[in-house]
Each structure stands twice: as C-alpha cells, then as structure tokens.
C-alpha cells in the first residue's frame, strides 16, 4: 500500500506539472489548435495521474520473512580434524566516535510515516469515491424509476433512451448500458435535432469513459488541488470540442439556433451538475467560451494539425518520462514476500549458502559459511563446474524447475552440512553493495584485461594495491580467463577478497550502512534472511574478532570436475575440500596479502 501511495504521489506531481504547462499555454493553444486537441491533452493529464505507467515487475524476488522449517538432513560427512593455523587478522578500526555499540537492547521503532500517510490517503480516496458514487447511483436509480423508455429512429440500437419529466439537461450516462436521458422540454421539434446531434457525438466518442476517469483521478488525488482544476478543464474542453464537432458543417443561422437551444435548456434545467454524465447545458460560466467557439469556428489546416500532434505528443511524452524517472528515483519498492514453502530444502540448523549469479541467472560463485560454537568461521567454496552427473554441472541445477531447492540439496550432500539460510544474489546487486560500503582496498594479483560482449563484461585492472569500486570488484571476482589454474585460481582470489571484505567492513561502524545495502539489493535477491538476520551475522563475525578467535578457515572443493556420486560415496564434508591459508602481512595500515596456495586438507 505504501508503494502505491508513493507511486500516485509521484504521478500527482508529474500530472500537476503538465496541467500547469497546459494552463499557461491555454490562451495561445486556443488560437492555434482545435478544441479537440485541448480535450485530448486534458484527458492525457488525467491518464498520467491515474495510470502507474512506470510500474515494473522485479526480475528476481526479494527477501521472504519466514524462516524455512524442514526436517534436518542427517550428517553423513566424515569428520576431518584440520590443523588450525590462526593468524592475527588486524583490521582498520573506525574512529571510536563512529563505532556503534552492540547491545542487546532494542531501540523503540520509529513511526512508519509513509505507512501512516498511505492509510490516510486510502481512507480519503475511498471516502471521496464513495461520496461521488453514492450520489450517482441515487440519481441513476431515480432515473430508472421515473423515466419512460422510448425509441427514436436517429438513435443507435446500443443506446437506450428514457424520457423523464424532471427538469434536467439532456445527457448520456452509463458505460456498459449507456442511456440517453431526454427531458420532455428537449423533445420539441425545434430542439430535438440539436440535442441528438450533441449527445450522439458524446456517445460515439466514448466521452462518458473520460468522465469516469475524472472522478477516479479526483478520488485518488483528493489531496491535490491541481487534479480538480484538470478535471474541470477536461470537462469544459469536452463540451467545447463536442460543440465544435456539431457545428462544423452548419450554416450561421443554424449555429444561432443551436446556441439558443443550449440557453433555453440551461434556463429550464436544475442547476445541480450531475457527475459521470454528459450534460448538454452544464454550467453558465462555460457558455461564453462555447459560444465564442461556435461563432468563430474555422477548419484546421494540415500544418496546424501536424503541429498540434507534435506538441501534444511532446507534452504527454515529457510528463510520462517525468513520472517514470521520479518513481524509479523516489518510490520505495515493496518487497515481494516469499512464503516458506516456495524454497524447499532449508534446515532448522546449519550453514548459510551464498550463490552469486550472472545476468543470465547462471551461478558464478557458490560457497557456504558457518560459525562454530568455538567462534571459528568456516567458508567452503564449490567450483561452478563441479559435475553432479555424467553430463550436468552443479551450476545447471539453478536454471531448472525448483532450482533453488535442488542446489540447496546438492550442496548439503557435498558439504555434509544442511543449509539453514540461503542467499541468491545477482552481480548487479553485488556491485551496488560494494559501492554502498565505499569500496574495498585490495591487492590485485596480476593485470586483468578481458572483454566479453556476450556477457557484457569489460574487465581492465592493473596489478597492485588499490581501492576497488563496485564494478571493479565484480570484474575481479568474475575474471578467470588469464589464470593458468582456471576457475580454482579465481576461487582463491575470491576467497582472499572476501577475507579483505570481512577485515575492512566487519565493524559496528558499518551497521548504519545496512539500510542502504538492503535498498541496493532490492529486486536482485532471493533469500530467507531479513534485516535482523543480516545484523546478527555481522555481529557474529565482529564478536569473533573481538574475542581474539578471528581465524577464518577457507576451503575449496579439491577437484572442480569431481562427481556428485563420488562425493556421496566418500561421505562429503571437509575430506573433499582443500584448505586455503589466511596468513596476512600488514604494513603501514594497508593490506598486502600473500598469495594463498591450495594445501591438501590435514597438512
């Protein structure tokens, strides 16, 4: 609901800007263009304000709020005791005044002003629309009760006619069952031809639809005075353009008779205007403009016609683009909440599985993370080219039906640990996250130059220490074509980068960045984590460092082309993974990382 309120607030601004421009150009446009042009433009204003033209369906769904509760997968992995080689992991700490204290106290939630305003907006819109519809249906019921059906040869078969004795103006009402309402005073021989010509123009153009649009717009934007101005201008332009169509082929004498009929009907009709109808004699203040047009009506030349089309298209296009831009910039997209049963395979306890995918949805990075009771963080990387059958790699699981569940199950079997939390993130979000965190200082191991137009890749990095932006970080993580060891070397670089990311950004000072990070990944993540879980993972890693147990153990599946069946036969778990060193040399508050080597587990 909040997103819809923000959307219509943006559309209200865009429509108001267009309405202001049309009001400023009204006098000039009245001399240059036909009344129909002005009518179409005012209808366009209301459409801009009512139709959420910039709504987009996210390519990827976003965090689900419920934790997955399924039966825990039994552990079948052979336990392996790894000789731990913890090394000091110095971190560039933020200044003391910037560090946010980590406490167990929960701050009082701030007032959700957008939600409050959205509720007020909905109540106002419903009240405004209900008031208008109540009056319309009361009038419609009275017409059905007191009106007498009649037939006229000049009226199309789809348009019903009712004669009433009440003093009202001739009008058409109803979208699905349109009815022409004729008071007895309009049925005289001198008046009826003009009345029919006028109302049949309304009927054939579908003007009643745009009257409903005006009511909908004023109900949705009840808080905006400009919408009432736009609706009034649209209705006035509707009547003037209808008159323009009626008198186009009339002689001056008949035009005078037509104006006389309008004046007589207005004098005899009830003063109250009926919404959602096309009243022939609606308001006295419009008569001067209508009669001026009727007396001075001239045909529109081809040049002016083309100019009017170009100007109208430019104005409506500019308003539409403005609405799209404002909405994409300022509207907070509502997260689509996944339900727990949509992603299967998650356990009550276990590890976190992270999957980074490219723009085709194919996994580019797969690793698990888990913190032990002793405070040791373990990261297990699985090459994307790992075979799970004779002709299928693990990366191919994700693009199948129920791909997330299949990937979770396969990783659980290979690692010997069930997956508790799941994050699938595309690289667009990863780039935004890196930028939100201010980049990462990292020593690029070698020159990296690679272009791939098919994957929209352009990687150009020089060897040496530098601060990587989001785009550069993604390029570093995806680069592998220049490594003799191929994907295994790339995973090694990814693990080293991840270690640097944890060292530099795992600090309470960056907790304030979490809302910005969460906003950056909207529409690009499938996960069962909520913001509170992200904070808990950050605090978990920070406490690990603070308590002096800051060794992060990293492992890689020893052979990228090993088979899934082999993994199950060998029991899965650490025995299939080679450990990577996490030793770090620190000098002058900068990080220069030794190139880690893949060491067989247990050595």
């Amino acid at each position: 609901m909040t997103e819809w309120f923000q959307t219509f607030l943006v559309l209200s601004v865009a429509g108001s800007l267009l309405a202001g421009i049309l009001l400023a150009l009204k006098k000039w446009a009245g001399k240059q263009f036909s009344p129909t042009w002005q009518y179409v433009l005012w209808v366009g204003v209301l459409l801009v304000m009512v139709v959420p033209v910039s709504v987009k369906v996210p390519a990827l769904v976003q965090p689900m709020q419920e934790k997955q509760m399924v039966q825990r997968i039994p552990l079948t992995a052979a336990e392996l005791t790894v000789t731990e080689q913890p090394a000091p992991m110095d971190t560039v700490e933020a200044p003391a005044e910037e560090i946010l204290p980590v406490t167990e106290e929960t701050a009082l939630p701030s007032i959700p002003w957008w939600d409050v305003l959205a509720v007020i907006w909905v109540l106002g819109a419903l009240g405004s629309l209900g008031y208008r519809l109540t009056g319309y249906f009361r009038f419609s019921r009275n017409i059905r009760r007191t009106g007498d059906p009649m037939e006229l040869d000049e009226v199309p078969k789809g348009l019903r006619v009712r004669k009433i004795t009440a003093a009202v103006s001739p009008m058409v009402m109803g979208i699905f069952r349109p009815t022409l309402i004729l008071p007895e005073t309009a049925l005289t021989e001198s008046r009826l031809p003009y009345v029919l010509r006028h109302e049949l123009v309304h009927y054939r153009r579908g003007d009643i639809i745009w009257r409903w649009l005006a009511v909908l717009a004023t109900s949705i934007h009840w808080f905006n005075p400009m919408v009432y101005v736009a609706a009034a201008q649209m209705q006035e332009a509707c009547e003037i353009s209808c008159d323009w169509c009626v008198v186009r082929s009339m002689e001056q004498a008949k035009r005078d008779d037509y104006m006389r009929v309008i004046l007589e009907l207005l004098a005899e009709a009830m003063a109250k205007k009926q919404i959602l109808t096309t009243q022939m004699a609606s308001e006295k203040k419009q008569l001067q403009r209508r009669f001026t047009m009727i007396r001075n009506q001239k045909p529109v030349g081809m040049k002016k016609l083309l100019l009017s089309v170009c100007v109208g298209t430019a104005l409506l296009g500019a308003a539409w683009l403005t609405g799209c831009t404002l909405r994409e910039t300022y509207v907070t997209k509502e997260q689509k909440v996944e339900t727990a049963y949509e992603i299967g395979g998650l356990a009550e306890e276990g590890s976190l599985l992270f999957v980074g995918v490219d723009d085709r949805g194919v996994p580019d990075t797969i690793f698990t993370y888990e913190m032990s009771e002793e405070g040791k963080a373990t990261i297990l990387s699985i090459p994307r080219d790992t075979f799970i059958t004779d002709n299928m790699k693990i990366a191919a699981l994700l693009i199948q039906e129920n791909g997330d569940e299949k990937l979770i199950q396969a990783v659980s079997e290979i690692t010997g640990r069930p997956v508790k939390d799941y994050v699938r993130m595309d690289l667009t979000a990863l780039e935004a996250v890196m930028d939100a965190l201010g980049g990462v200082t990292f020593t690029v191991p070698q020159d990296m130059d690679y272009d791939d137009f098919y994957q929209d890749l352009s990687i150009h990095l020089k060897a040496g220490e530098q601060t990587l932006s989001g785009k550069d970080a993604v390029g570093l993580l995806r680069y592998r074509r220049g490594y003799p060891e191929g994907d295994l070397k790339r995973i090694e670089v990814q693990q080293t980068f991840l270690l640097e990311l944890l060292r530099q950004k795992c600090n309470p000072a960056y907790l304030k960045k979490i809302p910005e990070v969460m906003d950056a990944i909207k529409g690009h993540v499938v996960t069962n984590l909520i913001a509170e879980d992200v904070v808990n993972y950050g605090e978990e890693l920070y406490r690990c460092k603070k308590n002096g147990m800051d060794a992060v153990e990293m492992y890689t599946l020893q052979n990228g082309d090993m088979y899934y069946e082999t993994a199950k036969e060998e029991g899965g778990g650490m025995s299939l993974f080679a450990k990577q060193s996490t030793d770090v040399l620190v000098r002058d508050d900068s990080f220069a990382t030794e190139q880690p080597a893949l060491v067989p587990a247990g050595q």
Side-chain angles (χ1 to χ4, degrees):
M1 182 171 63
T2 300
E3 181 185 354
W4 282 106
F5 170 58
Q6 293 176 333
T7 296
F8 283 115
L9 191 61
V10 165
L11 297 181
S12 194
V13 172
S16 297
L17 292 174
L18 179 57
I21 294 173
L22 289 183
L23 286 175
L25 297 176
K26 183 177 180 180
K27 187 174 182 180
W28 172 81
K31 297 178 180 179
Q32 300 296 325
F33 306 138
S34 70
T36 302
W37 179 88
Q38 298 180 59
Y39 176 42
V40 170
L41 264 291
W42 283 113
V43 169
V45 171
L46 298 179
L47 285 174
V48 166
M49 301 179 79
V50 169
V51 181
V53 290
S54 58
V55 167
K56 295 181 180 179
V57 179
L60 296 175
V61 295
Q62 298 181 346
M64 62 182 182
Q65 302 294 325
E66 301 181 44
K67 291 287 188 176
Q68 194 77 319
M69 305 295 292
V70 300
Q71 183 178 0
R72 177 172 176 169
I73 302 175
L75 296 180
T76 59
E79 298 294 335
L80 174 67
T81 304
V82 180
T83 303
E84 297 178 357
Q85 301 176 4
M89 297 169 56
D90 297 332
T91 304
V92 178
E93 297 288 346
E97 62 271 11
E98 293 185 9
I99 296 181
L100 304 178
V102 179
T103 65
E104 298 298 326
E105 298 180 2
T106 302
L108 292 175
S110 59
I111 299 176
W113 289 111
W114 277 117
D115 294 340
V116 173
L117 292 175
V119 170
I120 295 174
W121 166 68
V122 169
L123 293 177
L126 292 177
S128 177
L129 183 61
Y131 174 78
R132 288 171 168 83
L133 291 181
T134 299
Y136 169 75
F137 287 123
R138 184 182 296 116
F139 176 74
S140 177
R141 186 172 58 250
N142 182 63
I143 291 295
R144 289 195 304 269
R145 186 175 62 250
T146 60
D148 298 324
M150 63 178 300
E151 293 185 2
L152 294 173
D153 295 336
E154 300 89 341
V155 176
K157 292 183 179 180
L159 180 63
R160 297 181 302 168
V161 182
R162 283 185 177 272
K163 180 184 65 174
I164 61 174
T165 57
V168 297
S169 173
M171 66 186 73
V172 174
M173 61 185 300
I175 295 179
F176 302 107
R177 301 178 65 185
T179 303
L180 173 61
I181 309 300
L182 294 175
E184 290 184 344
T185 54
L187 297 177
T188 62
E189 184 177 351
S190 62
R191 295 176 179 177
L192 184 59
Y194 297 109
V195 169
L196 290 180
R197 292 186 67 172
H198 182 94
E199 294 303 331
L200 288 180
V201 169
H202 281 309
Y203 170 71
R204 293 190 176 103
R205 295 194 314 187
D207 289 339
I208 192 65
I209 297 175
W210 310 124
R211 296 298 176 98
W212 279 85
L213 174 67
V215 169
L216 182 61
T218 52
S219 298
I220 291 176
H221 302 276
W222 56 268
F223 54 86
N224 184 359
M226 283 300 293
V227 73
Y228 300 100
V229 174
Q233 291 293 323
M234 187 275 287
Q235 293 182 24
E236 177 183 300
C238 176
E239 291 302 323
I240 294 177
S241 67
C242 184
D243 292 334
W244 185 79
C245 293
V246 169
V247 303
R248 223 172 0 184
S249 58
M250 281 186 180
E251 298 175 354
Q252 188 61 48
K254 290 187 176 181
R255 292 185 185 188
D256 293 339
D257 289 339
Y258 177 65
M259 289 187 286
R260 175 183 53 77
V261 170
I262 293 176
L263 283 174
E264 292 173 351
L265 291 175
L266 179 61
E268 297 171 359
M270 293 186 298
K272 185 177 180 180
K273 182 176 67 173
Q274 297 297 332
I275 65 168
L276 299 171
T277 64
T278 60
Q279 289 178 270
M280 182 175 177
S282 51
E283 293 185 5
K284 295 179 181 179
K285 61 183 180 180
Q286 296 179 2
L287 290 183
Q288 182 177 355
R289 300 188 188 97
R290 292 176 68 180
F291 288 174
T292 299
M293 186 282 305
I294 293 172
R295 282 192 294 264
N296 302 326
Q297 193 265 0
K298 296 178 182 179
V300 178
M302 182 59 65
K303 290 184 179 180
K304 285 190 176 182
L305 179 62
L306 292 176
L307 178 62
S308 67
V309 171
C310 293
V311 173
T313 302
L315 290 175
L316 292 177
W320 176 76
L321 291 175
T322 300
C324 291
T325 303
L326 290 175
R327 184 174 188 275
E328 292 303 311
T329 304
Y330 296 107
V331 174
T332 302
K333 307 295 187 303
E334 273 188 8
Q335 296 184 359
K336 178 183 176 182
V337 179
E338 288 273 8
T339 53
Y341 60 81
E342 291 188 72
I343 300 180
L346 297 180
E348 188 173 354
E349 296 294 336
S351 61
L352 178 145
L353 172 59
F354 178 90
V355 182
V357 298
D358 59 21
D359 53 2
R360 300 168 298 170
V362 177
D364 192 80
T365 301
I366 304 172
F367 69 80
T368 65
Y369 158 85
E370 189 167 3
M371 181 74 71
S372 68
E373 294 180 358
E374 294 77 19
K376 301 292 184 181
T378 302
I379 295 176
L380 309 177
S381 296
I382 302 174
R384 64 180 184 178
D385 293 330
T386 300
F387 279 91
I388 57 172
T389 64
D390 290 342
N391 58 0
M392 181 181 293
K393 297 178 181 180
I394 192 170
L397 287 175
L398 196 59
I399 61 177
Q400 297 181 356
E401 185 178 359
N402 299 323
D404 294 296
E405 182 176 353
K406 291 179 180 179
L407 183 60
I408 290 168
Q409 182 65 29
V411 171
S412 299
E413 294 279 358
I414 292 175
T415 63
R417 288 291 292 159
V419 174
K420 177 186 69 170
D421 294 322
Y422 180 66
V423 178
R424 167 157 58 89
M425 178 185 296
D426 68 32
L427 296 176
T428 302
L430 185 60
E431 180 178 330
V433 169
M434 292 296 102
D435 288 334
L437 294 176
V440 176
T441 301
F442 185 75
T443 301
V444 179
Q446 66 181 57
D447 289 345
M448 298 181 178
D449 290 289
Y450 179 68
D451 289 289
D452 186 338
F453 297 105
Y454 177 70
Q455 298 189 64
D456 194 24
L457 277 177
S458 180
I459 304 171
H460 300 285
L461 296 174
K462 295 297 182 182
E465 184 181 282
Q466 54 198 283
T467 299
L468 299 178
S469 65
K471 181 179 180 180
D472 292 338
V474 171
L476 172 82
L477 298 176
R478 297 196 67 183
Y479 181 80
R480 69 169 179 168
R481 190 60 62 89
Y483 297 137
E485 304 90 339
D487 205 40
L488 290 179
K489 179 63 177 179
R490 184 174 74 109
I491 292 175
E492 182 182 321
V493 173
Q494 288 177 347
Q495 291 178 338
T496 306
F497 177 85
L498 181 59
L499 189 62
E500 287 299 322
L501 177 64
L502 295 176
R503 285 176 177 147
Q504 297 177 37
K505 306 302 179 181
C506 185
N507 190 297
Y510 288 97
L511 289 178
K512 60 186 178 182
K513 291 286 188 178
I514 288 180
E516 186 176 349
V517 170
M518 297 296 288
D519 185 66
I521 66 177
K522 285 179 180 179
H524 302 279
V525 171
V526 172
T527 183
N528 66 319
L529 298 180
I530 56 178
E532 182 181 355
D533 297 323
V534 178
V535 174
N536 291 338
Y537 273 114
E539 292 179 351
E540 187 178 87
L541 288 169
Y542 180 71
R543 282 195 295 267
C544 173
K545 296 193 311 178
K546 193 174 181 181
N547 295 336
M549 297 176 291
D550 56 357
V552 178
E553 297 179 349
M554 294 190 174
Y555 298 82
T556 302
L557 192 64
Q558 293 181 25
N559 193 351
D561 60 359
M562 85 176 314
Y563 285 90
Y564 182 37
E565 287 80 0
T566 306
K568 290 194 290 185
E569 290 173 3
E570 297 187 13
M574 294 288 192
S575 59
L576 300 174
F577 291 81
K579 184 180 180 183
Q580 175 175 321
S581 170
T582 58
D583 295 338
V584 175
L585 298 178
V586 181
R587 59 172 74 94
D588 298 330
D589 295 328
S590 62
F591 298 97
T593 306
E594 292 182 348
Q595 293 307 308
L598 293 177
V599 181
Q603 294 187 6

